[in-house]
Amino acid sequence: QGQLTESGGGSVEAGGSLRLSCQSSASPPPNCMGWFRQAPEKRREGVASIALIADYVDYSASVRGRFNVSRDGAQARIVLQMNSLKPEDTGTYYCVAGSPMRCTLESLWSARNWGQGTQVTVSS
């Protein structure tokens, strides 16, 4: 929410690319950050996560090979590069941050720090 700043998003045709960024201003900074998404009338699902110290990454099967999550210079800033976008990627993308014992999408579900969301629309 107030401690996460998201940028990026927009509308593209299928096959296009978008780049999302998220910066945490929390002190101390989180150890784990990632992205979840929610399509209209659909359940929220994990997209990608990254351990900021060890660079361990976790992707959902639906985006693996197309999306890449990485640190972007600052310890608590991440980038989600989304390539080969499909209409089913459409939704509101939420940045999330926390410090779970293990940095995975599953563990981030219980994180308390969520961004306001940024819209991604992919047309067919």
Side-chain angles (χ1 to χ4, degrees), residues 77-93:
R77 187 172 72 234
I78 62 169
V79 170
L80 181 68
Q81 179 66 44
M82 304 184 293
N83 300 315
S84 302
L85 284 163
K86 306 174 181 179
E88 50 263 45
D89 295 318
T90 293
T92 302
Y93 283 66

Side-chain angles (χ1 to χ4, degrees), residues 4-60:
L4 294 175
T5 302
E6 302 159 321
S7 63
S11 298
V12 297
E13 293 188 352
S17 298
L18 287 172
R19 178 183 173 101
L20 307 181
S21 297
C22 181
Q23 173 72 56
S24 173
S25 60
S27 182
N31 294 324
C32 179
M33 298 179 67
W35 292 91
F36 287 70
R37 68 186 181 189
Q38 187 167 20
E41 302 179 354
K42 298 294 185 180
R43 195 183 309 273
R44 187 171 298 187
E45 62 179 351
V47 178
S49 66
I50 181 168
L52 300 182
I53 301 301
D55 278 349
Y56 175 82
V57 295
D58 185 26
Y59 296 97
S60 69

